[in-house]
Each structure stands twice: as C-alpha cells, then as structure tokens.
Amino acid sequence: MTEKIIILDFGSQFTQIIGRRLRELNVYCEIHPFNKIPLPDQSVKGVILSGSPYSVRDPQAPQADLSQIKGKLPLLAVCYGAQYIAHRYGGRVNASSTREYGRAKLTVEDTDCPLFKGIPTVSQVWMSHGDSIDRLPEGARLIASTEDVRYAAYKIEGEPTYALQYHPEVFHSERGGDMLRNFVYDICGCRGDWTADSFIETAVSELRAKLGNDKVILGLSGGVDSTVAAMLLNRAVGKNLYCIFVDNGLLRKNEFHDVLSSYKDMGLNVIGVDASEDFLKALSGISDPEKKRKAIGRVFIETFDREAHKITDAQWLAQGTIYPDVIESCSVNGPSATIKSHHNVGGLPKDMKLKIVEPLRALFKDEVRRVGRALGIKKELISRHPFPGPGLGIRILGEVTREKLDILKEADAIYIEGLRHYMTSLPPASNGLSYSSERAADDKIALYDAVWQAGTILLPIKSVGVMGDERTYEYTIALRAVTSNDGMTADWVHLPYEFLADISNEIINKVKGVNRVVYDISSKPPATIEWE
C-alpha cells in the first residue's frame, strides 16, 4: 500500500506547489477539495491544510470537518489553515492592523520543535494574509514569530498538530522545504520511496490487472503525456494497444511525419490519419477563440471515433490526463478556480461506449518527464515543450486560413530551431524539468532546454514596413517563451537580445508576409501562456 499525505484545498493559488514540494521529496500526496475529504485509512500518514483567498471571518468561508483528522493524524495547517484551526478551536482571528504580504523574518521560539529541526533561529519566509491570529486555540503554544505577527506558528500540545501563518512551500521561504521535509519524514514517518521506478512498477502491474487481454485505443499527439502513457500501456498490454495519431493540419512544420518517424523504434502500433482538410473546412469563417476550440474538438472526436470503430472489440480509451487536469476539472466552491476545460477530461461521444483508463492521472508534468526518462524514451520526445491540443489554431488570432498557417509554420520553425541551436548559460526554470539538475553551473545548454514552453503567434493585424525601396503592409509575428512548473503560473524568459535580433531578422527575411516581430513579456497571471 502506497503511503500518502492528503492536502485539503481551501482555494490557495499555492496548493499545487505544496503537492509538488512533497513529490520532490519522493512522498506521494493527493489534493482534495476541503468539502470532499476522503476517509483516512492506513495509507494516510498525515494531512496538510492549504491557504485560501477567504478570511475565516467571512460567512462564506470554507468549512472543513476535521473530526477524523485533528488529534488522530499529523496535521500541518498553512496560512488560512492555521487561522481556521485557531478560529474553530477557541482562538481568535481578527483583521490585522499590519497586513503581511511578501518576505518576513521568522524567529523560531521553540528550537526543540521537530518541525524546525536544522532550521536557523532566524530565516526568511513568505507571508500572504490580511488577517492575523491574536489568540491561540485551546492547548496551543507559540513556536515561531515575526516582527509584525506574534503567532506566526504554533503547535497544539498533546497532538501532532502544527500551524504556520506563512507559506513554507513557496521559493521565497528560504528553509520552507526543510520544514516540509521535517513534517513528512520526522513527524509523519514517511519513507520517501515514491520514485519514477516505483511508479512504473506499480502502474504496469495495476494496468495489467485492470485491462487483462482487452484492446486499448490511445490518441497520440506526439507530446510528452501521450507518449509516456503509450509506453506504460505498451508494457502492460503490448500488441493490444492501438495508437491513433491525427494530423489536424494545425501541427508545427513537418510535425506529423517527424513524430510518426520518432515512434518507429519504440515498438508502438501507431496509425497515422491525415484529416487536415476536414479541420480547415470546419474552421472557415470562425474567429471567436472558444468557437475555434469547439470546432477543432468536434472534428477531432469525429475523426478519432471513425478510426476507432475500425478496431474491433476495443474496450478501453486511454488518455494522457495528468494531475493538474484532474484538480482543475473538479474545482468546487473554494478551491482554485477553473481557468479552462481540459481536453483530456471528458469529451467522449456517447455512442463510443469505451471505458476510460488514465495511467498518468496521479502525476505532475515534471514527474511525467521523469517517468519517461526511466522508461527509456528518447530525449527529443521527453524534452519537447508542451503544445496546445488545438495547435496553431489558437496561435492564429482570428480566422484560420491556409495562408496564415503556412506563414506561422515557417516562422515557428525558424524560432524553435533557433532555440535548439543557441547555447546559453541562461538559468532555466527553477523546476529543472528539461535537463539534468546535476549539470555544472558553468555548463552551457540549448536555449530550448532553458525554456518551459515557446511558440509563435500570428496577430490579426497588418502594419506598414519598408523592404528595399518598397512600402509593405504585412503581418506581425509575436514570439513567446516562458518558464513554469506545470503551466499553472508562468513568467516570461529573458531571452538574449542577440538571439532575438537574429530570429527577428531571419523571420522577416525568409517568411513572406511578415514585416514585424515582437516579443511577449507578459507573465501568467495576469496573461495566459497562449493568446487564445
């Protein structure tokens, strides 16, 4: 039985980060809405309460039944969680006269507390709250303070309940990772044995038991998630796995043929379907982003359904759903707001009558990559940037036409190849997803590997330019490159000016129809990674 930590989500933007930090410690965890708490069993070693955008004093503030948890299991309450326990169990929470947002200096008052083992007496933490606890709950004692908040951390005497008004999970809390380590290892007693290899062993065994000799259909996209899902399923059911790769005409330049070629040596049974004309016809005259997504989704399902019916006696449809998809798609009142619907969750035609199997639904994106590496999948597939399901259809703002697709594919190919060939010491995303974290600090890597996701966008406007002695009136291309953990939040990459200048010149000189290139320096939030 896999040991696990349960994280109760009260709506904090940092909830997933808590989960990621625990997974980095090789401890399996699950995130559940505060109002859908699973009944703890022997596998549950501890519980963490997340923060929340609410005040515990609000009438609509999330309320959780902790009767099966508090005092019975190790409990770590973070920010709102700390205030909720104080408010619920005899303490007092009021609006603070001095709100704390950002960095603060934490002073450990109880140096013998196991949560602070190995932590300096003074360290930096990250605060994000308007309320403060001004009276501790019954049986609690102070264990840490900041200059402005007396009760920055406390413990309930006689039970393994700890509460922090700051966020140990975020990067700016200097020793927050050590505090989480102390909680899951020393207080909860976790072994920390949840690794890529152990996941593969368990997943393949469970898939064999679940699927037996049934036939399974998987929609391959060429991306990391579907590729890793395919390899896991291939280990489990072998020739009973049928992979369908649909060319919607919205893939990158030569991508359909390149991806098919890359699967040749992997032992996968892959059926390639060119349906590009069907997709272009369905998109004709549509400019609204949501209508474009729906049109693309509809034609994909029709195409996939048609091909799937050619496979007799298939029982299962496999999907590359990953954990952030699951979390966002089951959002309730309180937990983090759903920003978009995910193509991996739902969307089956009713008459297809296939059961769903999702071998990656427990994994974050970086874990999918680690599993892929452990499965021996080629680097060029594992290190590929995420690519949206609707493809270039949502990177052409406005109506999608063949002319615009041809322009965008050429510009995108120049940009992506440039990223692959430009060597840099630029520090990659802090998650270290695309390269070995053991590399030396002065090693150079391809700029492509220092970026979480990159792409080009064709804007629906034309601008005046001059080429030779002639006036031009042509399209503008926007370049996008971001760092991220799993796409929930993202920051723009400070690409070298020299690189941007070279790429801009090459696109304008080689791609007919473009006379201007710009670089997007927006972060998510408030922007999104994609433009539509």
Side-chain angles (χ1 to χ4, degrees):
M1 183 179 294
T2 302
E3 62 184 19
K4 62 188 173 188
I5 300 292
I6 296 295
I7 301 169
L8 297 185
D9 181 16
F10 289 93
S12 171
Q13 60 180 318
F14 301 136
T15 301
Q16 284 206 36
I17 300 178
I18 299 174
R20 292 178 56 79
R21 294 293 173 262
L22 299 194
R23 298 285 184 89
E24 289 167 1
L25 294 169
N26 295 330
V27 174
Y28 179 68
C29 62
E30 293 177 355
I31 298 173
H32 293 272
F34 69 90
N35 55 357
K36 295 181 180 179
I37 304 174
L39 191 65
D41 56 29
Q42 290 183 347
S43 68
V44 179
K45 299 298 182 182
V47 177
I48 296 178
L49 309 184
S50 83
S52 174
Y54 288 95
S55 164
V56 294
R57 299 175 295 108
D58 291 343
Q60 69 272 33
Q63 305 288 319
D65 179 5
L66 302 179
S67 59
Q68 298 300 311
I69 298 171
K70 185 177 176 295
K72 300 177 181 179
L73 287 169
L75 177 64
L76 179 65
V78 174
C79 198
Y80 176 91
Q83 295 173 358
Y84 178 74
I85 289 180
H87 180 72
R88 180 80 179 268
Y89 296 96
R92 186 172 61 210
V93 178
N94 283 318
S96 176
S97 57
T98 306
R99 297 188 174 195
E100 277 201 321
Y101 293 98
R103 295 173 177 84
K105 288 297 181 185
L106 182 78
T107 299
V108 175
E109 306 285 350
D110 181 1
T111 55
D112 293 327
C113 177
L115 192 66
F116 297 132
K117 185 182 77 172
I119 307 296
T121 304
V122 178
S123 65
Q124 176 183 285
V125 294
W126 184 264
M127 293 283 191
S128 181
H129 61 91
D131 291 348
S132 281
I133 298 167
D134 59 16
R135 186 176 68 217
L136 292 178
E138 294 177 5
R141 61 181 172 82
L142 173 70
I143 57 175
S145 303
T146 70
E147 289 183 1
D148 296 317
V149 176
R150 173 62 176 157
Y151 302 118
Y154 63 86
K155 180 190 182 299
I156 306 293
E157 295 282 28
E159 60 184 67
T161 298
Y162 301 81
L164 314 173
Q165 283 207 79
Y166 54 90
H167 289 273
E169 69 274 19
V170 302
F171 174 76
H172 298 294
S173 289
E174 292 174 339
R175 302 302 295 271
D178 293 327
M179 296 174 198
L180 291 174
R181 177 189 296 272
N182 290 340
F183 178 70
V184 297
Y185 284 173
D186 297 341
I187 297 172
C188 298
C190 292
R191 297 185 301 273
D193 56 2
W194 199 72
T195 63
D197 288 331
S198 68
F199 171 81
I200 292 169
E201 182 180 351
T202 301
V204 170
S205 175
E206 291 176 350
L207 287 169
R208 283 174 179 160
K210 184 174 187 176
L211 304 175
N213 292 318
D214 292 347
K215 291 181 181 179
V216 182
I217 300 172
L218 169 67
L220 273 180
S221 68
V224 176
D225 300 338
S226 66
T227 300
V228 174
M231 291 301 288
L232 275 173
L233 286 160
N234 190 50
R235 284 199 179 187
V237 301
K239 60 181 173 46
N240 282 337
L241 173 65
Y242 295 80
C243 301
I244 299 173
F245 182 28
V246 177
D247 181 5
N248 58 12
L250 307 171
L251 303 175
R252 286 172 158 154
K253 183 179 178 181
N254 299 326
E255 186 169 21
F256 182 60
H257 298 291
D258 291 347
V259 170
L260 280 178
S261 296
S262 68
Y263 285 129
K264 279 184 179 178
D265 301 325
M266 296 173 65
L268 296 177
N269 176 23
V270 183
I271 303 164
V273 182
D274 184 353
S276 53
E277 290 297 329
D278 295 336
F279 283 86
L280 273 175
K281 188 182 298 182
L283 288 168
S284 178
I286 300 177
S287 297
D288 179 78
E290 192 60 26
K291 289 180 180 178
K292 285 198 292 184
R293 282 180 176 270
K294 288 181 178 178
I296 294 167
R298 174 179 57 79
V299 178
F300 175 81
I301 289 174
E302 290 171 356
T303 305
F304 189 86
D305 191 30
R306 183 172 61 248
E307 294 300 321
H309 273 93
K310 297 177 183 178
I311 303 167
T312 58
D313 301 323
Q315 300 292 316
W316 298 86
L317 176 72
Q319 297 188 143
T321 308
I322 63 174
Y323 202 37
D325 299 340
V326 176
I327 296 168
E328 287 196 353
S329 298
C330 68
S331 178
V332 295
N333 180 33
S336 310
T338 300
I339 305 301
K340 63 181 179 181
S341 58
H342 289 275
H343 66 277
N344 281 334
V345 182
L348 271 179
K350 292 181 180 178
D351 61 349
M352 206 166 186
K353 297 178 181 178
L354 295 177
K355 294 173 284 187
I356 298 291
V357 58
E358 297 168 316
L360 306 180
R361 68 180 286 117
L363 302 182
F364 287 103
K365 191 75 171 189
D366 57 325
E367 294 172 321
V368 175
R369 294 182 193 273
R370 286 202 291 271
V371 168
R373 284 193 286 269
L375 286 167
I377 298 174
K378 303 172 186 175
K379 180 182 183 295
E380 56 264 31
L381 285 173
I382 290 301
S383 64
R384 288 189 71 197
H385 291 175
F387 190 64
L392 300 180
I394 58 169
R395 291 183 179 176
I396 294 173
L397 274 58
E399 183 184 3
V400 177
T401 66
R402 185 171 295 282
E403 176 203 13
K404 292 178 181 176
L405 268 172
D406 289 343
I407 289 172
L408 188 57
K409 285 184 179 185
E410 291 299 326
D412 185 79
I414 290 170
Y415 181 39
I416 297 301
E417 281 305 302
L419 289 168
R420 290 188 187 279
H421 288 101
Y422 190 97
M423 303 304 291
T424 181
S425 298
L426 181 72
S430 60
N431 49 55
L433 302 185
S434 302
Y435 60 93
S436 170
S437 59
E438 297 175 357
R439 72 182 183 89
D442 57 351
D443 283 353
K444 285 188 176 292
I445 61 170
L447 200 50
Y448 184 89
D449 292 329
V451 171
W452 157 268
Q453 183 173 340
T456 52
I457 301 94
L458 182 66
L459 304 189
I461 55 173
K462 291 185 176 181
S463 64
V464 174
V466 177
M467 289 188 179
D469 294 326
E470 294 183 0
R471 177 181 180 273
T472 61
Y473 192 60
E474 296 178 330
Y475 287 109
T476 298
I477 289 287
L479 307 179
R480 185 78 159 133
V482 298
T483 58
S484 179
N485 287 327
D486 47 36
M488 298 293 293
T489 61
D491 198 7
W492 63 279
V493 180
H494 294 228
L495 294 179
Y497 288 153
E498 177 190 51
F499 170 79
L500 289 171
D502 289 345
I503 292 299
S504 174
N505 288 338
E506 189 172 357
I507 290 174
I508 292 170
N509 288 335
K510 292 184 177 180
V511 183
K512 188 176 180 180
V514 176
N515 67 359
R516 192 178 299 272
V517 175
V518 298
Y519 185 53
D520 182 352
I521 59 170
S522 310
S523 297
K524 176 187 179 181
T528 54
I529 295 176
E530 300 295 339
W531 282 40
E532 285 192 341

